[in-house]
Amino acid sequence: LRTPFALLDIDIVMDVGGKLGQYARLVRERVNYRGALITVERIPVMAQALRQRFANGPGGALAACALGEKPGHAILNVMQGHELSSLLQPSNVASDKLERQNQVQQRVEVEVSTLRQLLREHPLAQGARNVYLKLDVQGYELPVLRGAQDSLSRIVALQAEASVIPLYAGVPSYHELMRDIEEMGFQLSFIPAHNYTQVPDMIDFDCHFVSRRSLISKGYLRAQATEAAVDSADSARPRRT
């Protein structure tokens, strides 16, 4: 992460699905990032723990809400394994590997905001131009991205968790997620090693993207690459009959 953070002049990190602050600690301690950071956590008990720990320290803030395509309220499925909690319904149809952890412990109503709203209204985000977006939202990545609307152009890089074995009803497959992110103007940049214990039945993996606009401005791509990528995505999309 040090390379894209430096190359793209990241001036704010949106840690969406902050859990207990593991990613925030990573970028602070390992990446040595000292800029603005907003941790978004929708599970009430985890948001409370973050509030008591460090999220509201210097340069950091906590947004205790979910993100989606539109603002409002939604029912969050809090799972036995809290890290699997999702706005989507759990499903063990494809695999029973995480069946115990992926059972609903409780359902809670949560506030839903949007990326556009946070980036436009939050004091730490209003002046930011180079946003790094980390998504860990258990199958809800695309609604979160669609909620960025006209603020999507401020996101210069992002990482998302892509599903191989679906753990939720209606979750997009990894190739659907990656295709849709590329159609939003991003290019796949890096797929790190995720979890070596997930062999041969890998459940998910992280994938990192950089905006094509940023790659072009830094001289890594020619401008024609954007047109070629859009044409390729259109040709690969199944045709309706």
Side-chain angles (χ1 to χ4, degrees):
L1 286 175
R2 294 189 190 98
T3 298
F5 270 55
L7 177 69
L8 301 171
D9 302 316
I10 300 300
D11 55 9
I12 189 168
V13 173
M14 302 294 293
D15 177 14
V16 183
K19 296 186 171 61
L20 292 176
Q22 296 94 324
Y23 187 82
R25 286 197 300 273
L26 172 72
V27 297
R28 292 299 196 204
E29 298 174 6
R30 301 285 297 277
V31 182
N32 201 32
Y33 172 74
R34 294 293 179 263
L37 188 152
I38 298 177
T39 299
V40 183
E41 180 48 57
R42 65 218 189 282
I43 303 175
V45 65
M46 290 190 174
Q48 183 60 31
L50 281 170
R51 189 176 285 113
Q52 294 173 351
R53 291 176 66 184
F54 65 89
N56 285 318
L62 170 67
C65 63
L67 293 186
E69 193 165 354
K70 296 178 181 179
H73 291 82
I75 299 300
L76 173 70
N77 296 298
V78 180
M79 308 303 185
Q80 295 285 353
H82 281 188
E83 69 280 2
L84 297 176
S85 300
S86 177
L87 292 174
L88 300 178
Q89 292 296 319
S91 173
N92 297 310
V93 172
S95 173
D96 62 358
K97 190 171 184 178
L98 295 176
E99 186 172 7
R100 183 177 61 83
Q101 298 97 315
N102 203 31
Q103 292 182 2
V104 177
Q105 183 181 67
Q106 66 176 140
R107 291 183 171 92
V108 295
E109 184 176 353
V110 295
E111 179 186 356
V112 179
S113 185
T114 66
L115 264 177
R116 181 179 187 270
Q117 188 172 359
L118 274 181
L119 290 173
R120 287 170 63 94
E121 298 178 5
H122 198 287
L124 281 181
Q126 287 176 342
R129 300 178 60 187
N130 300 317
V131 179
Y132 189 94
L133 174 64
K134 170 261 186 179
L135 293 173
D136 188 0
V137 289
Q138 302 305 311
Y140 219 65
E141 292 79 10
L142 291 178
V144 173
L145 285 167
R146 294 184 188 118
Q149 298 181 23
D150 57 350
S151 295
L152 192 66
S153 61
R154 296 168 62 188
I155 300 172
V156 296
L158 67 90
Q159 66 181 84
E161 192 174 71
S163 172
V164 179
I165 296 177
L167 297 180
Y168 310 95
V171 64
S173 65
Y174 67 91
H175 45 84
E176 291 171 327
L177 175 67
M178 295 168 76
R179 179 199 66 200
D180 285 5
I181 291 176
E182 288 184 338
E183 289 181 357
M184 293 178 185
F186 296 88
Q187 177 153 312
L188 184 64
S189 174
F190 180 53
I191 299 178
H194 189 50
N195 187 340
Y196 291 111
T197 66
Q198 293 184 12
V199 177
D201 52 343
M202 181 168 66
I203 295 174
D204 53 35
F205 62 92
D206 288 334
C207 45
H208 296 241
F209 297 82
V210 176
S211 74
R212 291 194 193 92
R213 174 178 50 83
S214 297
L215 290 172
I216 290 169
S217 70
K218 299 292 184 181
Y220 287 90
L221 279 182
R222 294 180 177 176
Q224 293 88 339
T226 298
E227 297 177 5
V230 171
D231 290 343
S232 176
D234 287 343
S235 65
R237 185 180 292 277
R239 303 295 181 183
R240 292 183 178 181
T241 58

